[in-house]
C-alpha cells in the first residue's frame, strides 16, 4: 500500500447497477470498491467490461479505481468510455478526466475539460485557478530546466518514496521485499505494506545499501515520512492506525493514517505515542517541522478541510503539548489534494498538489513563508522534477541546493521511485529590467519621463524617472510577468507587458511615446491625426453606425477647440458597384457626416464636403482586379481635411 494515496482518498461512491446476470459479480466489486480494495474491484469490473457490458457507474468506478491509485493512463481509458457513453457528468469527473488526459500529453483537450469544470462549479478554487492562469503551461516552461536529476541509487522494484535526511542518513518508506516469509499486503493495491528504511550518505553524495529501520518503529502495517528534530532525539512519523498491537478503524471499518512521536533513548527508539489531534475518523500524515521546531506541518482530511486533503500546522508548546491544528487556508489549499509538505532552510514551503494548474497528477509547488506566517505567490517548480505523473515528497538543502523527490513517472524501477537532484538555478532569481524611452516620430530620447513598474495584478512595485539618455532600470524577479508604464507631459501614456525570462543578465524593454499634443495646419487630415478607423459606415449604407459616434466625437472636439476652423468632409468608396452608384453613395455619406456635426452644434458654414466615389483609390483595387476584403476596405474611407484655421 502506498500511504501517499490513503491521505487523499476518502471518497465513497454509492452505485446502483441495472439488474443483469452479472449483478452478483458487480455487487462483489462494489463491496470491494467501498472498502478501498481497488485492485480487486478493478479485476472484477474489467472482466465485466470485457464481456461487452456498458454501464455509466461501472465506467466511473473503473476510472476512479485507477485514478486513486495514481495510474492515470489506465484511468483515461475508462473516463474516455464514460464520456463517450454520457458526456454530461458531475463536475468532479471533468476534473479527473482532465488530469487523466494530461498523463498522455493531451493538454488542449484537458484544458477544454477544465474550462467545462469551471463553468459547472464557478466557486471551486481549482476551476478559478485555471481560469485565471490559462497560460499556466507557459509559466511552467519559464520555471523549468533548473534541475539535474538522477536515480537515487536505492530504489527497488516496489514502491520507494517520502525521504528525509538526519545525521547524514537518508530515511524513506519502501514496500520492498525484506525476506520475511509472511508478508502482508494492502487490498487497495495488492502490494506490500511500507516500512521505514535508512541509507548512509557517502562523501560523494551517493548512498550505501539501505537497511530496514528499527523493528520497534516498523509495524506489520504502513510506516512512512519520518521527520527528526535537529538534535536527532525526537522523531515524528506516519503509520496506519495501529498502536500496542491494536488496529483502529473508522465508522466504515477502514484503517486510516495517524501521526506518531518517538524518543531516542540509549540509541533506541521508544515511547511511541500517537499525537492528540489524531482521530479514527480521518487521516493525518506526512509531518514536517518548522525551522524553529515550534510548529508541525502535516496533511489531513480532518473537519475543516477545503478539499480532499489539506495542509495544516499545529503549534508545539514548550511543555510538549500541542495547540489546535490550523488549516493553512486557500492561499495554499484547494478542493483537490495538497500533501507532502516540506519546509526548506530558507523558510520556503514545498508541497505536492493536483488542485493547481500543473503538468498532470501531483505536481510540486513552492511558496515563501512570510514573517507574519502568510504565504507569498505559489509557483510550480517546473520540469524535469514535475512530469505528467505524480511527483511529490520534495526535500532540498538550502546551501548545497541538493535534495531528493519521489515520482511514479515513466522509466522508474518500481511503482514509486526516489530521485536525487541538484538545483542549478533558483526559481526566484533577480535580473535587471532596463530600457530607453524615445519619441515615436523623431526617435529623440526623452529624459525626465516617469516610469512605473507593476506586478501581474497591477500592484505598483517601483517608480523612477529616465536619465538624460532616456534610460531607466528596475530590479525584477525571473519568471514573473510585469507591466511597465511610461508617462510624460504632452505625450500619451504607454503601458507594456513583459515576462522576465531567466536567461541572460538583463532584459530590455524600450518604449516609444507619441505626442499627445499634435500639430495641425491647413491640409491636415484629422482622420489620420486622430487615428480614426477607416470604416464607420456599413457596406452600401450611408447611415452612420452608432459605434462611429465615438470616432466623430474626436473631430467634434477639435472643431470646438478651434472655433474658426473649417473642414472639408471627403468620402470615398471601393471599386465594387458602378462608378455612378459609388459616386451617389459617397455623396450621401459626406452629407450624412456633415448633418451629424450640424446636429452637434457646428455651424454649417464651417463644413463642406462631397463624395469622390471610387475616383481616388489608394491601391490597385480597381474594376476587374481581384483584391481581398482588407484591401477593399482601405479604399472605403473618410477624410476630414482642414481648409482654414482663421
Amino acid at each position: 500500500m502506498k500511504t501517499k494515496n490513503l491521505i487523499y482518498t476518502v471518497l465513497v461512491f454509492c452505485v446502483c447497477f441495472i439488474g443483469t446476470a452479472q449483478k452478483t459479480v458487480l455487487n462483489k466489486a462494489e463491496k470491494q470498491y467501498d472498502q478501498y480494495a481497488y485492485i480487486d474491484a478493478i479485476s472484477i469490473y474489467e472482466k465485466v467490461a470485457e464481456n461487452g457490458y456498458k454501464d455509466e457507474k461501472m465506467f466511473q468506478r473503473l476510472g476512479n479505481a485507477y485514478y486513486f491509485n495514481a495510474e492515470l493512463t489506465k484511468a483515461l481509458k475508462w473516463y474516455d468510455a464514460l464520456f463517450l457513453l454520457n458526456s454530461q457528468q458531475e463536475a468532479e469527473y471533468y476534473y479527473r478526466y482532465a488530469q487523466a488526459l494530461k498523463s498522455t500529453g493531451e493538454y488542449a483537450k484537458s484544458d477544454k475539460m477544465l474550462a467545462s469544470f469551471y463553468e459547472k462549479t464557478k466557486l471551486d478554487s481549482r476551476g478559478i485557478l485555471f481560469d485565471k492562469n490559462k497560460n499556466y503551461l507557459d509559466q511552467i516552461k519559464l520555471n523549468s530546466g533548473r534541475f539535474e536529476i538522477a536515480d537515487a541509487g536505492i530504489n527497488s522494484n516496489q514502491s520507494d518514496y517520502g525521504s528525509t535526511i538526519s545525521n547524514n542518513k537518508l530515511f524513506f518508506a519502501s514496500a520492498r521485499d525484506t525476506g520475511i516469509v509472511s508478508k502482508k499486503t494492502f487490498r487497495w493495491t495488492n502490494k506490500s505494506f511500507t516500512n521505514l528504511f535508512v541509507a548512509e550518505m557517502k562523501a560523494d553524495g551517493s548512498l550505501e545499501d539501505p537497511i530496514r529501520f528499527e523493528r520497534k518503529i516498523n509495524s506489520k502495517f504502513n510506516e512512512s515520512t519520518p521527520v527528526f528534530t535537529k538534535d536527532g532525539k525526537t522523531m515524528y512519523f506516519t503509520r496506519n492506525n495501529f498502536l500496542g498491537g491494536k488496529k483502529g478503524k473508522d465508522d466504515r471499518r477502514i484503517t486510516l493514517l495517524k501521526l506518531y512521536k518517538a524518543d531516542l533513548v540509549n540509541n533506541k527508539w521508544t515511547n511511541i505515542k500517537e499525537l492528540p489531534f489524531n482521530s479514527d475518523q480521518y487521516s493525518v500524515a506526512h509531518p514536517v517541522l518548522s525551522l524553529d521546531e515550534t510548529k508541525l506541518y502535516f496533511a489531513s482530511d480532518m473537519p475543516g478541510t477545503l478539499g480532499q486533503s489539506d495542509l495544516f500546522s499545529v503549534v508545539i508548546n514548550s511543555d510538549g503539548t500541542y495547540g489546535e491544528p490550523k488549516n493553512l487556508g486557500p492561499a495554499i489549499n484547494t478542493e483537490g489534494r495538497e500533501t507532502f509538505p516540506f519546509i526548506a532552510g530558507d523558510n520556503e514551503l514545498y508541497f505536492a498538489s493536483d488542485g493547481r494548474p500543473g503538468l498532470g497528477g501531483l505536481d510540486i509547488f513552492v511558496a515563501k513563508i512570510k514573517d507574519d506566517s502568510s504565504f507569498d505567490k505559489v509557483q510550480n517548480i517546473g520540469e524535469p522534477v514535475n512530469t505528467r505523473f505524480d511527483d511529490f515528497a520534495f526535500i532540498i538543502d538550502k546551501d548545497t541546493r541538493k535534495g531528493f523527490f519521489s515520482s511514479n513517472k515513466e522509466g522508474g524501477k518500481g511503482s514509486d521511485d526516489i530521485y536525487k537532484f541538484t538545483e542549478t538555478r533558483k526559481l526566484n532569481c533577480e535580473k535587471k529590467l532596463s530600457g530607453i524611452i524615445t519619441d515615436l516620430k523623431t526617435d529623440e530620447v526623452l529624459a525626465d519621463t516617469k516610469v512605473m513598474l507593476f506586478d501581474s495584478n497591477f500592484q505598483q512595485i517601483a517608480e523612477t524617472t529616465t536619465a538624460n539618455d532616456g534610460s531607466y532600470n528596475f530590479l525584477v524577479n525571473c519568471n514573473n510577468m510585469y507591466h511597465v508604464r511610461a508617462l510624460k507631459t504632452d505625450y500619451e501614456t504607454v503601458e507594456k507587458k513583459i515576462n522576465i525570462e531567466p536567461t541572460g543578465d538583463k532584459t530590455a524593454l524600450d518604449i516609444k511615446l507619441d505626442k499627445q499634443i499634435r500639430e495641425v495646419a491647413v491640409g491636415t487630415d484629422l482622420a489620420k491625426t486622430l487615428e480614426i478607423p477607416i470604416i464607420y459606415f456599413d457596406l452600401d449604407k450611408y447611415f452612420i453606425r452608432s459605434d462611429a459616434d465615438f470616432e466623430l466625437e474626436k473631430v467634434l472636439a477639435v472643431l470646438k477647440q478651434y472655433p474658426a476652423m473649417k473642414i472639408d468632409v471627403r468620402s470615398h468608396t471601393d471599386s465594387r458597384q458602378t462608378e455612378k452608384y459609388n459616386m451617389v453613395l459617397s455623396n450621401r455619406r459626406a452629407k450624412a457626416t456633415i448633418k451629424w456635426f450640424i446636429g452637434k452644434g457646428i455651424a454649417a458654414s464651417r463644413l463642406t464636403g462631397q463624395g469622390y466615389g471610387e475616383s481616388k483609390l489608394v491601391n490597385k483595387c480597381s474594376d476587374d482586379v481581384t483584391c481581398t476584403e482588407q484591401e477593399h476596405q482601405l479604399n472605403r474611407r473618410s477624410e476630414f481635411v482642414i481648409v482654414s484655421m482663421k
Side-chain angles (χ1 to χ4, degrees), residues 438-476:
T438 57
D439 185 289
L440 176 66
K441 300 286 196 306
T442 67
D443 286 331
E444 174 189 359
V445 297
L446 300 177
D448 297 321
T449 302
K450 181 190 290 187
V451 187
M452 305 171 71
L453 182 69
F454 298 85
D455 65 15
S456 59
N457 295 318
F458 289 95
Q459 297 297 312
Q460 184 175 342
I461 300 171
E463 181 180 312
T464 188
T465 55
T466 56
N468 290 333
D469 61 357
S471 65
Y472 72 92
N473 294 283
F474 291 116
L475 195 63
V476 294

Side-chain angles (χ1 to χ4, degrees), residues 1 6 36 184-193 222:
M1 160 57 195
L6 262 182
Y36 294 155
K184 285 187 174 291
T185 60
F186 191 78
R187 294 173 64 203
W188 190 341
T189 61
N190 279 349
K191 295 178 182 178
S192 298
F193 285 92
N222 286 294

Side-chain angles (χ1 to χ4, degrees), residues 40-150:
D40 291 341
I42 288 173
S43 176
I44 296 170
Y45 285 137
E46 287 190 328
K47 287 178 182 178
V48 174
E50 286 169 2
N51 290 332
Y53 185 82
K54 294 183 179 181
D55 182 89
E56 185 174 343
K57 293 295 184 182
M58 181 178 67
F59 289 152
Q60 287 176 348
R61 287 198 158 191
L62 273 168
N64 292 343
Y66 281 121
Y67 183 86
F68 293 144
N69 275 298
E71 297 183 84
L72 298 183
T73 53
K74 293 181 179 180
L76 178 58
K77 173 184 177 180
W78 300 110
Y79 287 146
D80 275 337
L82 172 64
F83 276 79
L84 186 62
L85 189 64
N86 181 8
S87 62
Q88 298 302 312
Q89 297 293 325
E90 294 179 6
E92 191 64 27
Y93 283 100
Y94 287 83
Y95 194 82
R96 293 176 195 165
Y97 192 21
Q99 291 293 91
L101 285 163
K102 288 181 178 181
S103 72
T104 57
E106 297 178 70
Y107 288 104
K109 188 174 180 180
S110 173
D111 287 351
K112 289 182 180 179
M113 289 296 109
L114 288 172
S116 297
F117 172 76
Y118 172 66
E119 288 302 317
K120 283 180 169 290
T121 58
K122 290 297 185 181
L123 297 180
D124 191 299
S125 64
R126 293 171 296 176
I128 294 170
L129 286 167
F130 167 75
D131 188 62
K132 289 184 176 179
N133 299 277
K134 290 182 179 177
N135 65 337
Y136 68 96
L137 290 175
D138 294 332
Q139 184 61 52
I140 292 173
K141 185 177 180 180
L142 289 175
N143 294 354
S144 296
R146 303 181 300 106
F147 297 92
E148 295 175 352
I149 68 172

Side-chain angles (χ1 to χ4, degrees), residues 204-236:
D204 63 358
S206 62
L207 297 166
E208 298 277 5
D209 290 337
I211 60 174
R212 196 168 181 264
F213 196 50
E214 288 190 24
R215 186 178 299 274
K216 186 77 172 179
I217 298 297
N218 284 323
S219 71
K220 59 184 180 180
F221 295 104
N222 286 294
E223 283 80 30
S224 70
T225 52
V227 64
F228 300 85
T229 54
K230 293 174 183 177
D231 62 12
K233 295 181 179 180
T234 302
M235 174 177 65
Y236 299 90

